[in-house]
Structure formats: structure tokens, C-alpha cells
Amino acid sequence: MADNPPGYELADRMALTEPAQVKAIGHPLRTTILQLLHERAATVTELAAAVERPKSTVAHHVDVLARNGLLQVVRTRKVRAIEERFYGRTARLFFIAAEPASVGGEVSGDFNDFEVAARESATAFEEGRLWGFIRHARISEDQASEFWARMAELVEEFDRLPRSGDTVYGFAIGVYPTDYPALPASEAADPPR
């Protein structure tokens, strides 16, 4: 397998600025297709076999992703009299930069990486093979943004790992505001003991 997957040229990052782009990645099968293409370019036939769905269904979802600029044909080959297309991602990392008011439409609320991660990780949890942490910190928005930028670098490193082994591992991270309780400012001026 490629040492630096997926083995074809693509941008490092792509901002999703159109509601249709965000909606396109909101479907679980499309998210799976995008994840599979992190490893290498693939044909609709290969993708359909991997996800165990009909070729027509997979072709429809590939078309939606391609029309919205998330997939591209990275090479072709002749198989008998038919030209077979290999699809690849247009970027290693897609991030949502759409704001409904500025782009004139509604952004899909269907896309939630943590919902996908929770669903995917259920079996690993049951088998005692789920590694995870959750922490809370009262920090500024700027600090949260700086921390997120560092985590995005880690995600990119994970995406570029050489493909080996027999198990596909998921990696989910996030930084989000909560209504988690916080202690009030201390009234005592006494130093901690």
C-alpha cells in the first residue's frame, strides 16, 4: 500500500462553504465512501463491494459527492469497451465553514462526527477495546481555537499513516462549548494548602 495514502494528488484542506456540500457529507454512506478513499482511489464497483451495497446506490452517492466538489476522477482504465473511473477525494480534510446567513441557505444539521463515532465504537466498547477521554476546561474561545488547530495537525498525521494491519481504527476528537457547571470565582484569598 502507499506510504503516504491515498496515493494520488489532493489538497490538504478544503473549506465546505456551500450548504449542498455540507449536506453531501451528512449521509452516513457518503461519509464511509470518503473515509475509504483516504486509503486509495477506487472504482464504484470496488466501493460497492467494500460497503456491501448495490453499485447503483453507491454510484448515486459518488455522483453527489463529485457534483459538490468532494470527489474527483483521478485516473481511468479501459476494461473491455468500458472506461472505468477511479475516484479520489479532493482534499485530505474537509471542514465546515458554511454560515447559513452568508450563503443564503440552510446548513444540514445531520452531520455529527460524534454520532458516527458513537455508533462505530459500540462494539469496541463492548469488547473493552475503546480508548477515550473526555475533559472539560474553562478557557477562552481563542485558547479553544488554538487547541483545535493543534488537534487538526494530529488528525492530518493520522490520515497520512501508512496503511497496514488488519483493523481499521477510528479517531474522533472535538472541542465544543458546553453548559458544564463551573465553580464560582473563589472568595477566599488564602493560598492552597
Side-chain angles (χ1 to χ4, degrees), residues 15-176:
L16 305 182
T17 58
E18 299 295 324
Q21 291 176 313
V22 178
K23 185 175 181 181
I25 64 171
H27 191 283
L29 181 55
R30 291 183 207 139
T31 303
T32 300
I33 290 168
L34 287 169
Q35 288 301 315
L36 287 169
L37 296 175
H38 261 298
E39 190 150 330
R40 65 174 178 83
T43 65
V44 168
T45 301
E46 292 173 317
L47 291 167
V51 298
E52 299 178 340
R53 301 289 292 272
K55 278 177 53 175
S56 59
T57 300
V58 172
H60 164 74
H61 290 289
V62 165
D63 181 59
V64 170
L65 291 166
R67 275 188 285 119
N68 285 288
L70 304 169
L71 293 185
Q72 62 188 338
V73 175
V74 296
R75 71 177 186 275
T76 60
R77 74 175 175 195
K78 281 274 193 186
V79 178
R80 297 181 196 104
I82 298 172
E83 185 175 78
E84 192 171 44
R85 294 182 184 120
F86 286 80
Y87 290 91
R89 298 168 62 105
T90 54
R92 291 183 186 279
L93 175 70
F94 298 112
F95 63 96
I96 299 171
E99 295 190 24
S102 65
V103 294
E106 282 301 312
V107 174
S108 169
D110 296 340
F111 186 70
N112 184 341
D113 283 339
F114 287 113
E115 182 180 340
V116 173
R119 191 171 50 250
E120 287 181 349
S121 66
T123 301
F125 174 75
E126 291 168 4
E127 295 174 354
R129 297 178 59 207
L130 175 64
W131 304 301
F133 296 100
I134 186 167
R135 298 292 186 270
H136 298 91
R138 189 166 22 151
I139 58 177
S140 71
E141 189 171 339
D142 287 344
Q143 288 173 306
S145 293
E146 290 170 18
F147 189 80
W148 179 249
R150 290 176 38 213
M151 294 301 98
E153 291 173 10
L154 192 57
V155 168
E156 288 179 24
E157 179 184 333
F158 186 82
D159 282 343
R160 292 175 188 267
L161 289 173
R163 298 314 199 235
S164 60
D166 297 324
T167 304
V168 176
Y169 284 87
F171 177 58
I173 61 170
V175 177
Y176 51 92

